[in-house]
Amino acid sequence: MSSVKLAMSSVKAAVCRPDSDEPFVLEELSIGDPRPDEVLVRFTAAGLCHTDLDVAAGRMPTPLPVVAGHEGAGVVEAVGSAVTGFGPGDRVVAGFSFCGSCRNCLSGQPAYCPLHFPLNFGAQRADGTVGLYDCAGEPVHDHFFGQSSFAGYGLCRPSSLIKVGGTDVPDHVLAPLGCGIITGAGAVWNQLKVTPGSTVAVFGAGAVGLSAVMAAAAAGAARIIVTDPHASRLDLAAHLGATDVIDATDGLAVEGVRELTGGAGVEFSVESTGVPEVMSQAVAALAPLGSAAILGVAPDADLRTSAFALLEGRTVSGSIVGHQAPAVLVPRILDLHGKGRFPLEAVIRTYALDDINKAVDEVRSGTAVKAVLIH
Ligand code: CXF
Ligand code: ZN
């Protein structure tokens, strides 16, 4: 990284450091001015996603120390001279970065941009520089998902930003639309294309799984079966549209799904746990011609499934961040939210940024579903 420093302002941030006992260390950092192609955003809220914890634990290809956070919401403070389409005062949600010019980006699938990993996990500018420095003057990696929203201000890539000017939804509700919420909802609508009257099983009732439940309910699914080991999350699933719930602690979720469907299995399944055995269950619970969406992140796992089961027309595929441009998906969810058909508030618990490690503990224990940090 470059050691060149520019005009700096102070900013509070949660930093992932390789030598720390806790996932996040609260620090005062310095931030430079936006480059010509950057947008300076004042973040007011940021959701905590499992990917942030994977980064803190060194399980992702992200250099440390780094300011993570990839579900930001806030207000544009300043824009670089080459930025178009954004101006000071714009309310924005921050999601993932993409190049905008490759075949996948141009065909409306920016999540599958070949530069997804360097742009979102590289945590630096293309020239290797960063915009954050610690109190010793040492560089701290930023530009995580083009935002690093666990800092009060971020030097953002325009591709990561979605304008949300026309809504009165508070920022702590908007923030998780950057990743977790669109991941579950988009898989149901864009990847599986869940149909009215159909049967759906959702494995895992975290923020992604419960977003899949809300999306399946909005799509008119007749049967939505949810399985999870936490009773409180199953209660929440029932509140959000699940027609049946299964306690996953005994490992008999597939048998439960088959019993509830008269032995047939479901037309659609969604896996959101990242546990390889649960991924296999999501496939095993399918009826012939059924489709499973694998959404959990398990970097080193193999997926085991019956090859014979695939002969009956079952399909298994994965997707990331909603399988559609966030600029299309986010307004769709906000429209449903405005009609009371996507009650995001039910899955959100807020924490001061200072309490980010408490938020991590409560997500890990299952007490909180979607933790959102308030700056
Ligand atoms: C990521 C998860 C790991 C693969 C790429 C997309 N999404 C954010 O949490
Ligand atoms: Zn995420």
Side-chain angles (χ1 to χ4, degrees), residues 29-53:
L29 304 178
S30 301
I31 187 168
D33 293 330
R35 294 251 179 114
D37 59 348
E38 292 175 342
V39 177
L40 178 67
V41 173
R42 177 172 61 84
F43 288 116
T44 53
L48 177 70
C49 171
H50 275 283
T51 300
D52 298 309
L53 304 182

Side-chain angles (χ1 to χ4, degrees), residues 45 73 91 167-175 337 345:
R91 286 186 80 198
T167 179
D168 57 2
V169 175
D171 285 2
H172 71 276
V173 179
L174 292 174
H337 175 269
E345 291 83 351

Side-chain angles (χ1 to χ4, degrees), residues 73-76 85-94 161-171 174 177 326-327 330-331 334:
V75 181
V76 172
F86 294 95
D90 286 343
R91 286 186 80 198
V92 290
V93 167
L161 303 177
I162 305 138
K163 280 206 266 191
V164 287
T167 179
D168 57 2
V169 175
D171 285 2
L174 292 174
L177 289 168
V330 167
L334 287 175

Side-chain angles (χ1 to χ4, degrees), residues 16 33 43 70 83 86 114-115 136 146 167 172 202 205 208 212 217 243 256 268 293 331 343 370:
C16 303
D33 293 330
F43 288 116
H70 61 286
V83 171
F86 294 95
L115 296 182
T167 179
H172 71 276
V202 177
V208 172
T243 55
F268 303 103
K370 171 54 73 179

